[in-house]
Amino acid sequence: MWMICKKEWWQFFSSLTGYLALAAFYLLNALLFFVFPATSLLDFGYATLTPFFRWVPFVLVVFIPVITMRSFSDEYKSGSFELLRTLPISSYQLVAGKFLGSLLIVWAALLPTILYAFTLQKLSITGGIDLGGTLGSYIGLLLLGAVFTAVGIAASSFTANTVVAFLIGVLICLFLYSGFDSVSQLPGLPVESEYYLQMLGIRFHAGAMSRGVLDSRDLFYFVGLTFLMLFIARRQIQLR
């Protein structure tokens, strides 16, 4: 499993696509949170990372499928998937290795964003940032990265076309994050169904964490959704 994990890590950083994806991620973050007035952390009026945590999931919706789109698609296309299946590893270890390798890349990309918190804390004249809310938001962001990574792995397991895997991953991640909120606003639905529909979406559970509240139900939601996507990926490669 760890051999597969290391292979994913080095494969990402040995290609130009990997560095371009990281550069685009940091450039877009810089533009959103330090340049564009509507989302700038410096123009918000007080020390808060709320704009960052509000918009960075939508950046991850695109960034993470770029990382995962080649996980199984390239193996199918190049024919190396058959070679992988001859190795003494189970389908569970294969999926877990792919997942952990991609997840470490995602978390490594998110790690430098902690500088935003230190910067705002230093620039704040009084009070500083809400440490509890910021910590909860970062935990939610790491768990969100795990879910999106699992979705990308599952999407890649269905096709040998990396572009198709990317598009499927983006659409599913976007729907899981904000799709249920949109569905709950449709006219004609019972009023009492709005709350339960929102509970099915990621934004509902991430929002609770952003307030500094770490509820076991929210943690179970993220972990359960991650394992569900990995189960789908494992089932798909078993069928092949």
Side-chain angles (χ1 to χ4, degrees), residues 48-60:
T48 179
L49 284 172
T50 299
F52 171 73
F53 292 117
R54 181 183 300 147
W55 289 103
V56 74
F58 294 102
V59 179
L60 294 178

Side-chain angles (χ1 to χ4, degrees), residues 58 126 139 162 176 231:
F58 294 102
T126 58
I139 293 174
T162 55
L176 286 175
F231 172 80

Side-chain angles (χ1 to χ4, degrees), residues 139-183:
I139 293 174
L141 197 59
L142 295 177
L143 293 173
L144 176 70
V147 172
F148 283 179
T149 302
V151 169
I153 295 293
S156 183
S157 70
F158 277 87
T159 176
N161 191 312
T162 55
V163 176
V164 173
F166 168 75
L167 293 175
I168 293 175
V170 169
L171 290 175
I172 296 177
C173 288
L174 186 60
F175 181 78
L176 286 175
Y177 185 74
S178 60
F180 288 103
D181 287 346
S182 301
V183 172

Side-chain angles (χ1 to χ4, degrees), residues 47-203:
T48 179
L49 284 172
T50 299
F52 171 73
F53 292 117
R54 181 183 300 147
W55 289 103
V56 74
F58 294 102
V59 179
L60 294 178
V61 160
V62 177
F63 174 65
I64 293 180
V66 170
I67 296 174
T68 60
M69 65 183 183
R70 299 172 59 186
S71 296
F72 285 107
S73 297
D74 269 7
E75 306 287 2
Y76 298 155
K77 188 175 182 179
S78 65
S80 58
F81 178 73
E82 286 71 19
L83 178 61
L84 283 176
R85 298 302 291 140
T86 63
L87 298 176
I89 56 174
S90 65
S91 57
Y92 165 77
Q93 291 174 318
L94 178 57
V95 172
K98 294 278 188 180
F99 170 72
L100 289 176
S102 298
L103 183 60
L104 288 176
I105 295 170
V106 173
W107 284 358
L110 288 173
L111 186 62
T113 65
I114 297 177
L115 291 173
Y116 298 164
F118 286 108
T119 301
L120 286 183
Q121 185 70 19
K122 292 294 184 182
L123 293 176
S124 176
I125 299 175
T126 58
I129 61 175
D130 180 4
L131 294 179
T134 301
L135 179 60
S137 295
Y138 263 110
I139 293 174
L141 197 59
L142 295 177
L143 293 173
L144 176 70
V147 172
F148 283 179
T149 302
V151 169
I153 295 293
S156 183
S157 70
F158 277 87
T159 176
N161 191 312
T162 55
V163 176
V164 173
F166 168 75
L167 293 175
I168 293 175
V170 169
L171 290 175
I172 296 177
C173 288
L174 186 60
F175 181 78
L176 286 175
Y177 185 74
S178 60
F180 288 103
D181 287 346
S182 301
V183 172
S184 68
Q185 303 300 321
L186 291 176
L189 292 176
V191 177
E192 58 273 12
S193 67
E194 179 178 343
Y195 176 77
Y196 295 103
L197 283 171
Q198 290 178 354
M199 281 185 64
L200 295 175
I202 294 175
R203 181 182 286 181

